[in-house]
């Protein structure tokens, strides 16, 4: 088994995850089985209790693991299906080590970072290797080289590479080469310092990937090669992409990164066939059609808070050869100005998931605007609950209908806490999580889009549709197009007398890929395009 370790230097948010995912794409298309793994140095056990302002979105896997958003890149760019083994935090490592110590597993020894913490990190790599059966495992180390919390992970991968041998493990260091406008040139010194810091730890990178705004040029590459002790051809330019992140695999292929990796790891494989990926990029850069979608949320100023949602929308565009312009709408702006000012002229409206009361009335107003003006609507998790509350208030005339999450004393709790959640006290990892089966109703638009009657989708929530109101909603043509197989929980709602009004309790965005767009997003963008180009009566 071969191992690739991806580290980062100079600054955070360089795109290590995208680089790792893109490398995974190239290796898969060379016929190799790939798995990817993320090591996060923070002490949280997982990101489940972290604010989106701190961490961005929480990406949920089939097995219910709440993980880093980079795992979303891994799944979107490759065919791998990840599990909780693919994400490890310092919190998980220390929790395991301390539990072992309490149970006497260290036989009275002094528990230390080396070897006990590093051994636990290495153990996770071995376990993933055994379980995945992959030819190559790509492991990304979160944070920036030099961060004190990341040192145990760097020491662990140094030891691991020594144990498996030089032809079985390589290091790829992603760094930043800034362009100084006043000087009119790129500066390599931060890269030199970052690699020097890595070499102090005992890791010498085999490949240096240079994020930059301008082309590197021969002179800068030669300088980085000389001072960082890597071959000239192993200094890789990773320039800011012009249009879409899905250009990155093609950029790295032009830089012959996959050839470099295969040569270093003694992998004899044919060149990657990327024609299908080129077509994906073509549809994103030069689509046949255009549409504008409004995403109404509360973390709207943060790109990473709804990362998978934005990507899934673009995938729906790919499926329809349709360029999508996303208009981010702050729900509180709707509360202040009214829905029409911010939503008029849009091809479709999407309300994503979220927690907390802030912006709720703005989201309810957005759902009402979509329903009354026949604008295609897609609701995700909270977006389904919002649509339910809006319908209850304005169609069923249940004044003050609400969710007990936001108003525990509402006279009409059309959304209420799951029975299984009522006695839960710990916040982390205790929601209804992961892939759950759903039975689709015959004859519904949802079943038509899926082309199936039983599906599995990923969940992350504590509240559900209140079954006490089910009959009342059904009489008003509020359709339940998806339920749990036992019929106890409503999973998908739709309005039959609307061009496209579908909302799910689950998160379909977590299953969408550029080469396999999710059917709900595909249908939503198709409906939005039809709405945009419909002729006035």
């Amino acid at each position: 088994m071969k191992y690739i370790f991806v580290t980062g230097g100079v600054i955070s948010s360089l795109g290590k995850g995208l680089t790792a995912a893109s490398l995974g794409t190239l290796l898969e298309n060379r016929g190799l089985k790939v798995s990817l793994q993320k090591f996060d140095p923070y002490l949280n056990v997982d990101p489940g209790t972290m604010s989106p302002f701190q961490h961005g979105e929480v990406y949920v896997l089939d097995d219910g693991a709440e993980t880093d958003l980079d795992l979303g890149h891994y799944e979107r760019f490759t065919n791998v299906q990840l599990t909780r083994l693919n994400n490890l935090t310092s919190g998980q490592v220390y929790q395991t080590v301390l539990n072992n110590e309490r149970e006497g597993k260290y036989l009275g020894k002094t528990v230390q970072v080396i070897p006990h913490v590093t051994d636990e990190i290495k153990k996770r790599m071995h376990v993933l290797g055994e379980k995945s059966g992959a030819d190559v495992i790509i492991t990304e180390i979160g944070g920036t080289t030099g961060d004190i919390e990341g040192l145990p992970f760097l020491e662990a991968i140094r030891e691991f590479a020594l144990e498996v041998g030089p032809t079985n493990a390589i290091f790829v260091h992603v760094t930043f080469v800034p362009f100084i406008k006043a000087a009119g040139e790129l500066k390599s010194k931060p890269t030199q310092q970052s690699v020097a810091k890595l070499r102090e730890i005992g890791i010498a990178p085999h490949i240096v990937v240079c994020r930059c705004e301008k082309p590197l040029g021969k002179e800068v590459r030669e300088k980085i090669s000389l001072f960082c002790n890597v071959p000239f051809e192993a200094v890789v330019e990773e320039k800011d992409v012009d249009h879409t992140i899905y250009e990155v695999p093609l950029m790295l292929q032009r830089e012959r990164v996959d050839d470099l990796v295969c040569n270093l790891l003694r992998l004899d494989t044919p060149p990657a066939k990327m024609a299908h990926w080129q077509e994906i990029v073509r549809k994103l850069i030069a689509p046949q059609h255009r549409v504008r979608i409004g995403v109404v949320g509360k973390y709207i100023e943060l790109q990473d808070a709804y990362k998978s949602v934005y990507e899934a929308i673009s995938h729906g565009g790919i499926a329809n050869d349709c360029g999508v312009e996303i208009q981010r709408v702050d729900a509180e702006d709707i509360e202040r100005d009214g829905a029409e000012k911010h939503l008029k002229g849009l091809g479709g409206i999407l309300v994503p998931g979220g927690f907390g009361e802030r912006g709720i009335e703005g989201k309810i107003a957005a759902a009402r605007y979509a329903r009354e003006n026949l604008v295609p609507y897609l609701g995700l998790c909270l977006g389904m609950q919002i649509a339910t509350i809006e319908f209850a208030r304005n169609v069923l005339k249940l004044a003050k209908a609400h969710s007990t999450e936001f108003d525990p004393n509402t006279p009409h709790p059309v959304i209420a806490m799951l029975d299984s959640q009522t006695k839960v006290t710990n916040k982390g990892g205790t929601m209804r999580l992961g892939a759950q089966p759903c039975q689709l109703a015959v004859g519904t638009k949802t079943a038509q889009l899926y082309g199936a009657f039983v599906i599995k989708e990923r969940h992350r929530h504590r509240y559900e549709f209140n079954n006490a109101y089910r009959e009342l909603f059904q009489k008003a043509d509020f359709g339940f197009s998806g339920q749990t197989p036992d019929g106890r929980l409503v999973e998908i709602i739709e309005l039959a007398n609307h061009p496209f009004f579908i909302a799910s309790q689950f998160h379909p965005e977590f299953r969408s890929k550029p080469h396999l767009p999710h059917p709900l997003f595909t249908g939503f963008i198709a409906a939005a395009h039809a709405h945009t180009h419909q002729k006035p009566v």
Side-chain angles (χ1 to χ4, degrees), residues 12-310:
S12 59
S13 301
L14 273 178
K16 295 190 302 298
L18 278 173
T19 302
S22 298
L23 183 53
T25 304
L26 291 172
L27 295 179
E28 267 198 352
N29 283 284
R30 293 182 78 120
L32 296 165
K33 185 176 181 183
V34 174
S35 190
L36 296 103
Q37 188 175 41
K38 175 76 185 285
F39 289 164
D40 279 306
Y42 52 73
L43 284 172
N44 303 68
V45 173
D46 59 46
T49 57
M50 294 169 73
S51 163
F53 289 102
Q54 285 273 316
H55 185 268
E57 77 171 1
V58 175
Y59 188 79
V60 180
L61 304 179
D62 270 10
D63 65 358
E66 295 175 290
T67 69
D68 182 80
L69 58 83
D70 275 318
L71 275 78
H73 292 314
Y74 302 165
E75 286 201 329
R76 285 189 285 272
F77 276 67
T78 68
N79 294 308
V80 66
Q81 184 172 307
L82 305 176
T83 71
R84 61 184 69 251
L85 290 176
N86 297 81
N87 195 197
L88 182 67
T89 70
S90 287
Q92 292 173 22
V93 174
Y94 283 107
Q95 188 177 62
T96 301
V97 168
L98 292 174
N99 286 342
N100 288 345
E101 186 273 334
R102 292 290 83 187
E103 293 169 16
K105 290 184 179 178
Y106 298 127
L107 304 176
K109 291 179 181 176
T110 301
V111 180
Q112 297 174 293
V113 173
I114 303 172
H116 300 102
V117 170
T118 52
D119 280 354
E120 195 59 42
I121 296 167
K122 288 188 291 183
K123 180 182 175 184
R124 177 59 73 91
M125 288 184 260
H126 285 299
V127 171
L128 179 61
E130 292 166 8
K131 299 280 188 183
S132 68
D135 300 309
V136 181
I137 292 179
I138 303 171
T139 302
E140 176 194 349
I141 313 302
T144 307
T145 299
D147 293 347
I148 190 168
E149 61 265 30
L151 289 174
F153 287 104
L154 294 176
E155 170 60 21
I157 64 174
R158 182 197 69 79
E159 294 175 14
F160 191 90
L162 192 65
E163 292 166 11
V164 299
T167 61
N168 293 320
I170 62 170
F171 297 97
V172 176
H173 191 56
V174 183
T175 183
F176 181 55
V177 182
F179 178 75
I180 307 302
K181 196 172 181 181
E185 61 183 5
L186 292 163
K187 292 293 184 182
S188 66
K189 189 64 72 177
T191 295
Q192 295 174 39
Q193 299 284 4
S194 177
V195 172
K197 192 73 182 171
L198 202 58
R199 289 167 69 184
E200 282 177 21
I201 297 164
I203 295 172
H206 298 83
I207 299 171
V208 177
V209 177
C210 302
R211 277 297 305 276
C212 49
E213 297 176 49
K214 307 284 184 181
L216 281 183
K218 185 181 177 184
E219 188 178 330
V220 176
R221 289 194 196 226
E222 286 176 340
K223 188 180 286 188
I224 292 171
S225 170
L226 177 65
F227 286 100
C228 297
N229 198 37
V230 296
F232 177 83
E233 63 272 13
V235 179
V236 175
E237 176 186 290
E238 192 175 59
K239 200 163 75 73
D240 294 352
V241 292
D242 296 322
H243 303 283
T244 168
I245 58 172
Y246 299 112
E247 294 175 69
V248 177
L250 301 176
M251 180 197 304
L252 293 182
Q253 187 182 39
R254 287 194 296 271
E255 289 284 301
R256 298 177 63 92
V257 173
D258 52 327
D259 289 339
L260 273 170
V261 166
C262 289
N263 288 336
L264 287 164
L265 293 174
R266 309 290 194 270
L267 290 166
D268 185 14
T269 60
K273 295 178 180 178
M274 298 294 287
H276 68 294
W277 207 264
Q278 289 167 347
E279 180 61 9
I280 286 168
V281 171
R282 195 280 300 164
K283 287 180 178 178
L284 289 167
I285 294 175
Q288 297 294 310
H289 314 287
R290 295 278 177 185
V291 73
R292 201 154 54 100
I293 299 296
V295 176
V296 182
K298 61 187 288 188
Y299 311 114
I300 217 70
E301 69 274 26
L302 299 166
Q303 170 69 20
D304 286 347
Y306 302 116
K307 190 72 174 174
S308 293
V309 174
Y310 295 147

